Amino acid sequence: MRYTKNDIRNIPLTEFMAALGEKPVKAFGDMKLYYAPQRDDPEPMLAVDTNTNRWYDHATDQSGDIIDLAALKMNPNLYMDPRDFILKYMNEYGQGKELSAMARRPQPPTVINLDIKKVKLTDFMKALGQEHPVAADGNLRIYNAPYDDKPGPTMVINIETNLWRDTKSGAYGGIYDLAYELTGSCNMSELNLYIAGQMGYFDKKNVQQEQKAESPKQEQEPDKPKRKMRL
């Protein structure tokens, strides 16, 4: 919810105090006792009546509503209207509560319909944008290293073992090791999502190309002979 000036009179003082970072120290029925947010008191001196939505300061004998309290708390060099001060703190507080609620909300598990261990490294390289190797030598395929800031033909894939190694850095391994070099993540779930995402886009692109190649071309109908005009 985003508050406007029309909502200010209905904002509970306890919520405004929470937005200011204040928590009740004691509670007596409808009364809650706080440290005054506008002062640094050694004792809690501000009482809030949750029934009337008003406050009373035992140290100064002052009392009022949410706007009066905001006027005492705000910096007059930054705010001319206490209602602007209230809206700033309440909307930031509300946004923080929404984000916290979203973070606590359980997320549904992600289902990956892909046996990642069986993915060919050459297909993964295609998904990464390298359709063909730079060179080939028997069972070896040589690619520009996609994880290098200055990529060069240093990454070698053995198509029989489905493993790779880098002749410059010495890095080596399988598809998860390659995904680690690309993402820097050691989290298996994140690596699975990354690999599946790359392969999913690659497979979708291949299907679209196949459908385009298989779609029959519309044959142009021969021009109809023009009828001769009789005289």
Side-chain angles (χ1 to χ4, degrees):
M1 175 182 178
R2 183 168 181 82
Y3 293 98
T4 66
K5 289 185 177 180
N6 295 329
D7 304 314
I8 289 177
R9 293 289 181 183
N10 297 321
I11 295 174
L13 264 172
T14 51
E15 284 289 291
F16 183 51
M17 292 294 285
L20 295 175
E22 301 291 343
K23 296 181 180 180
V25 178
K26 296 179 181 179
F28 309 94
D30 294 333
M31 303 296 294
K32 294 184 183 297
L33 198 60
Y34 292 85
Y35 286 100
Q38 73 275 20
R39 298 191 307 272
D40 186 15
D41 291 338
E43 299 290 337
M45 304 297 289
L46 189 83
V48 171
D49 188 332
T50 58
N51 187 31
T52 62
N53 205 34
R54 292 180 64 83
W55 58 273
Y56 174 77
D57 192 333
H58 289 278
T60 62
D61 284 335
Q62 290 177 296
S63 63
D65 59 10
I66 187 173
I67 295 177
D68 299 316
L69 183 59
L72 292 175
K73 172 64 177 175
M74 72 180 192
N75 185 340
N77 294 325
L78 300 177
Y79 297 93
M80 297 182 64
D81 189 340
R83 292 176 299 176
D84 293 331
F85 177 81
I86 294 169
L87 292 179
K88 175 184 181 298
Y89 275 83
M90 289 305 303
N91 285 324
E92 287 182 354
Y93 177 66
Q95 186 179 23
K97 287 174 64 177
E98 290 175 3
L99 291 174
S100 296
M102 290 177 62
R104 292 193 299 269
R105 192 177 303 156
Q107 299 295 325
T110 303
V111 179
I112 300 176
N113 297 318
L114 176 68
D115 191 346
I116 292 178
K117 292 182 180 179
K118 293 183 179 180
V119 174
K120 294 181 180 179
L121 280 172
T122 50
D123 287 340
F124 189 49
M125 292 301 292
K126 290 179 182 178
L128 294 174
Q130 297 196 46
E131 188 71 23
H132 302 288
V134 176
D137 183 9
N139 296 328
L140 305 180
R141 302 292 181 268
I142 303 170
Y143 292 86
N144 289 319
Y147 42 78
D148 200 328
D149 293 336
K150 297 179 180 179
T154 61
M155 180 181 163
V156 181
I157 293 176
N158 187 321
I159 59 175
E160 279 194 354
T161 62
N162 203 35
L163 297 172
W164 65 277
R165 62 181 176 86
D166 192 303
T167 57
K168 182 172 73 173
S169 68
Y172 67 93
I175 191 167
Y176 283 109
D177 301 289
L178 179 55
Y180 163 75
E181 293 291 336
L182 290 161
T183 64
S185 174
C186 296
N187 186 292
M188 187 61 71
S189 297
E190 292 179 359
L191 294 176
N192 283 332
L193 288 173
Y194 175 74
I195 296 169
Q198 296 295 328
M199 293 306 299
Y201 174 76
F202 171 67
D203 292 339
K204 183 178 179 181
K205 184 178 178 182
N206 280 349
V207 169
Q208 290 175 345
Q209 290 177 345
E210 290 174 1
Q211 290 176 345
K212 186 176 180 180
E214 292 174 359
S215 60
K217 295 181 180 179
Q218 295 182 351
E219 296 182 359
Q220 294 183 351
E221 297 182 1
D223 295 336
K224 295 181 179 180
K226 296 180 179 180
R227 296 178 64 182
K228 294 181 180 180
M229 186 179 294
R230 294 183 180 179
L231 299 176

